[in-house]
Amino acid sequence: MGLQSIDIDVLRLTCSSCVVAGRLANLDHNLQVMLIEAGESNLNNPWVYRPGIYPKNMKLDSKTASFYYSRPSEWLGGRRAVVPCAHILGGGSSINFMVCLSVHVTTLFGQSY
């Protein structure tokens, strides 16, 4: 198999970039679109499909996330902010388990109902 030409490369996939790539590919079925994501496969990975393991994705020695540090900030008392970034096929959607917090209606609208 020889090298093929690629018309469009999409890097560091997010849900929106996958949608854009899919729409571009549907516009012209001869268009070659390559999706590139950093990290290992999430297929049959228990860190992805078992919700009880979710907290391990946020450990500093995690194989599914990378951690970036900000410069020390006076607003954080001289500390650095730690920013986790998914490092697995599917990105953050693979390891966040759709964590959702419900808020009370008065928090959203500022009045009682």
Side-chain angles (χ1 to χ4, degrees), residues 21-47:
R23 288 185 179 178
L24 288 170
N26 280 329
L27 286 175
D28 180 357
H29 294 281
N30 295 318
L31 192 65
Q32 297 292 316
V33 179
M34 179 188 288
L35 305 174
I36 300 175
E37 176 66 89
E40 61 186 49
S41 173
N42 61 9
L43 182 65
N44 297 322
N45 184 334
W47 287 46

Short mmCIF file of all heavy atoms in Angstrom, two decimals, residues 21-47:
data_model
loop_
_atom_site.label_atom_id
_atom_site.label_comp_id
_atom_site.label_asym_id
_atom_site.label_seq_id
_atom_site.Cartn_x
_atom_site.Cartn_y
_atom_site.Cartn_z
N ALA A 21 -15.69 17.53 10.35
CA ALA A 21 -15.04 16.57 9.45
C ALA A 21 -16.08 15.69 8.74
O ALA A 21 -15.97 15.44 7.54
CB ALA A 21 -14.07 15.70 10.23
N GLY A 22 -17.10 15.26 9.48
CA GLY A 22 -18.16 14.45 8.89
C GLY A 22 -18.94 15.20 7.83
O GLY A 22 -19.25 14.66 6.77
N ARG A 23 -19.23 16.46 8.11
CA ARG A 23 -19.97 17.26 7.13
C ARG A 23 -19.15 17.52 5.88
O ARG A 23 -19.68 17.50 4.76
CB ARG A 23 -20.44 18.57 7.77
CG ARG A 23 -21.55 18.34 8.76
CD ARG A 23 -22.09 19.61 9.32
NE ARG A 23 -23.17 19.31 10.26
CZ ARG A 23 -23.81 20.22 10.94
NH1 ARG A 23 -23.50 21.50 10.80
NH2 ARG A 23 -24.78 19.88 11.76
N LEU A 24 -17.85 17.78 6.06
CA LEU A 24 -16.99 17.97 4.90
C LEU A 24 -16.93 16.71 4.05
O LEU A 24 -16.99 16.77 2.82
CB LEU A 24 -15.58 18.38 5.34
CG LEU A 24 -15.44 19.80 5.89
CD1 LEU A 24 -14.06 19.98 6.51
CD2 LEU A 24 -15.68 20.82 4.79
N ALA A 25 -16.80 15.56 4.71
CA ALA A 25 -16.73 14.29 3.98
C ALA A 25 -18.04 14.00 3.25
O ALA A 25 -18.03 13.41 2.18
CB ALA A 25 -16.39 13.16 4.94
N ASN A 26 -19.17 14.42 3.82
CA ASN A 26 -20.46 14.19 3.17
C ASN A 26 -20.69 15.13 1.99
O ASN A 26 -21.48 14.82 1.10
CB ASN A 26 -21.61 14.34 4.17
CG ASN A 26 -21.78 13.10 5.01
OD1 ASN A 26 -21.51 12.00 4.55
ND2 ASN A 26 -22.22 13.27 6.24
N LEU A 27 -20.02 16.27 1.99
CA LEU A 27 -20.17 17.20 0.87
C LEU A 27 -19.58 16.62 -0.41
O LEU A 27 -20.11 16.83 -1.50
CB LEU A 27 -19.48 18.53 1.18
CG LEU A 27 -20.19 19.43 2.17
CD1 LEU A 27 -19.33 20.65 2.46
CD2 LEU A 27 -21.55 19.86 1.63
N ASP A 28 -18.46 15.93 -0.26
CA ASP A 28 -17.78 15.35 -1.43
C ASP A 28 -17.24 13.99 -1.00
O ASP A 28 -16.29 13.90 -0.23
CB ASP A 28 -16.64 16.27 -1.88
CG ASP A 28 -15.90 15.74 -3.09
OD1 ASP A 28 -16.22 14.63 -3.57
OD2 ASP A 28 -15.00 16.45 -3.57
N HIS A 29 -17.83 12.92 -1.50
CA HIS A 29 -17.45 11.57 -1.10
C HIS A 29 -16.06 11.18 -1.61
O HIS A 29 -15.52 10.16 -1.20
CB HIS A 29 -18.50 10.56 -1.51
CG HIS A 29 -19.80 10.76 -0.79
ND1 HIS A 29 -20.00 10.32 0.49
CD2 HIS A 29 -20.95 11.37 -1.17
CE1 HIS A 29 -21.22 10.65 0.88
NE2 HIS A 29 -21.82 11.29 -0.10
N ASN A 30 -15.48 11.96 -2.49
CA ASN A 30 -14.12 11.71 -2.95
C ASN A 30 -13.08 12.40 -2.08
O ASN A 30 -11.89 12.19 -2.25
CB ASN A 30 -13.95 12.17 -4.41
CG ASN A 30 -14.81 11.35 -5.34
OD1 ASN A 30 -14.91 10.15 -5.20
ND2 ASN A 30 -15.44 12.02 -6.28
N LEU A 31 -13.54 13.24 -1.17
CA LEU A 31 -12.65 13.98 -0.28
C LEU A 31 -12.04 13.03 0.74
O LEU A 31 -12.74 12.23 1.35
CB LEU A 31 -13.46 15.07 0.42
CG LEU A 31 -12.71 16.15 1.19
CD1 LEU A 31 -11.87 16.99 0.25
CD2 LEU A 31 -13.71 17.03 1.92
N GLN A 32 -10.72 13.10 0.93
CA GLN A 32 -10.02 12.27 1.91
C GLN A 32 -9.83 13.09 3.18
O GLN A 32 -9.10 14.08 3.19
CB GLN A 32 -8.65 11.83 1.36
CG GLN A 32 -8.74 10.95 0.13
CD GLN A 32 -9.34 9.59 0.45
OE1 GLN A 32 -9.00 8.97 1.44
NE2 GLN A 32 -10.25 9.15 -0.39
N VAL A 33 -10.48 12.68 4.28
CA VAL A 33 -10.40 13.38 5.56
C VAL A 33 -9.72 12.45 6.56
O VAL A 33 -10.13 11.31 6.74
CB VAL A 33 -11.80 13.77 6.07
CG1 VAL A 33 -11.71 14.48 7.41
CG2 VAL A 33 -12.52 14.64 5.05
N MET A 34 -8.67 12.95 7.22
CA MET A 34 -7.97 12.17 8.23
C MET A 34 -8.19 12.81 9.59
O MET A 34 -8.02 14.02 9.76
CB MET A 34 -6.47 12.12 7.95
CG MET A 34 -5.71 11.33 9.01
SD MET A 34 -3.92 11.45 8.87
CE MET A 34 -3.64 10.48 7.43
N LEU A 35 -8.62 12.01 10.57
CA LEU A 35 -8.82 12.48 11.93
C LEU A 35 -7.67 11.96 12.78
O LEU A 35 -7.40 10.76 12.80
CB LEU A 35 -10.14 11.96 12.49
CG LEU A 35 -11.38 12.28 11.67
CD1 LEU A 35 -12.60 11.60 12.25
CD2 LEU A 35 -11.60 13.76 11.58
N ILE A 36 -6.99 12.85 13.49
CA ILE A 36 -5.85 12.46 14.32
C ILE A 36 -6.10 12.88 15.76
O ILE A 36 -6.38 14.04 16.04
CB ILE A 36 -4.54 13.11 13.80
CG1 ILE A 36 -4.28 12.66 12.37
CG2 ILE A 36 -3.38 12.75 14.71
CD1 ILE A 36 -3.10 13.31 11.73
N GLU A 37 -6.00 11.91 16.66
CA GLU A 37 -6.20 12.15 18.08
C GLU A 37 -5.00 11.61 18.83
O GLU A 37 -4.47 10.56 18.49
CB GLU A 37 -7.48 11.45 18.56
CG GLU A 37 -7.76 11.54 20.04
CD GLU A 37 -8.06 12.94 20.51
OE1 GLU A 37 -9.22 13.34 20.50
OE2 GLU A 37 -7.11 13.65 20.89
N ALA A 38 -4.57 12.31 19.85
CA ALA A 38 -3.45 11.85 20.66
C ALA A 38 -3.94 10.83 21.69
O ALA A 38 -5.09 10.86 22.11
CB ALA A 38 -2.82 13.03 21.39
N GLY A 39 -3.09 9.93 22.04
CA GLY A 39 -3.42 8.98 23.09
C GLY A 39 -3.75 7.60 22.57
O GLY A 39 -3.76 7.33 21.38
N GLU A 40 -4.03 6.72 23.52
CA GLU A 40 -4.30 5.33 23.18
C GLU A 40 -5.76 5.11 22.84
O GLU A 40 -6.60 5.99 23.05
CB GLU A 40 -3.89 4.43 24.34
CG GLU A 40 -4.64 4.72 25.63
CD GLU A 40 -4.12 3.91 26.80
OE1 GLU A 40 -2.90 3.90 27.01
OE2 GLU A 40 -4.95 3.32 27.50
N SER A 41 -6.07 3.94 22.34
CA SER A 41 -7.44 3.59 21.98
C SER A 41 -8.29 3.46 23.25
O SER A 41 -7.80 3.04 24.29
CB SER A 41 -7.46 2.27 21.22
OG SER A 41 -8.79 1.84 21.02
N ASN A 42 -9.56 3.81 23.14
CA ASN A 42 -10.46 3.65 24.28
C ASN A 42 -11.29 2.37 24.18
O ASN A 42 -12.12 2.10 25.03
CB ASN A 42 -11.38 4.87 24.42
CG ASN A 42 -12.26 5.09 23.22
OD1 ASN A 42 -12.33 4.26 22.31
ND2 ASN A 42 -12.94 6.21 23.19
N LEU A 43 -11.06 1.56 23.16
CA LEU A 43 -11.81 0.33 22.97
C LEU A 43 -11.49 -0.67 24.08
O LEU A 43 -10.33 -0.99 24.32
CB LEU A 43 -11.47 -0.28 21.61
CG LEU A 43 -12.23 -1.55 21.25
CD1 LEU A 43 -13.72 -1.26 21.09
CD2 LEU A 43 -11.68 -2.13 19.95
N ASN A 44 -12.51 -1.13 24.78
CA ASN A 44 -12.39 -2.08 25.87
C ASN A 44 -11.48 -1.61 27.00
O ASN A 44 -10.89 -2.41 27.71
CB ASN A 44 -11.91 -3.45 25.37
CG ASN A 44 -12.89 -4.07 24.40
OD1 ASN A 44 -14.10 -3.96 24.58
ND2 ASN A 44 -12.38 -4.69 23.36
N ASN A 45 -11.35 -0.31 27.16
CA ASN A 45 -10.53 0.26 28.23
C ASN A 45 -11.41 0.47 29.45
O ASN A 45 -12.31 1.29 29.42
CB ASN A 45 -9.92 1.58 27.76
CG ASN A 45 -8.97 2.18 28.78
OD1 ASN A 45 -9.07 1.93 29.97
ND2 ASN A 45 -8.05 2.98 28.29
N PRO A 46 -11.19 -0.27 30.56
CA PRO A 46 -12.06 -0.13 31.72
C PRO A 46 -12.04 1.27 32.32
O PRO A 46 -13.00 1.67 32.97
CB PRO A 46 -11.51 -1.17 32.71
CG PRO A 46 -10.13 -1.45 32.26
CD PRO A 46 -10.12 -1.22 30.78
N TRP A 47 -11.00 2.03 32.09
CA TRP A 47 -10.96 3.40 32.61
C TRP A 47 -11.99 4.27 31.90
O TRP A 47 -12.32 5.34 32.35
CB TRP A 47 -9.57 3.99 32.41
CG TRP A 47 -8.55 3.41 33.34
CD1 TRP A 47 -8.36 2.09 33.63
CD2 TRP A 47 -7.61 4.13 34.12
NE1 TRP A 47 -7.34 1.96 34.52
CE2 TRP A 47 -6.86 3.19 34.83
CE3 TRP A 47 -7.31 5.47 34.26
CZ2 TRP A 47 -5.84 3.56 35.69
CZ3 TRP A 47 -6.29 5.84 35.11
CH2 TRP A 47 -5.57 4.89 35.82
#
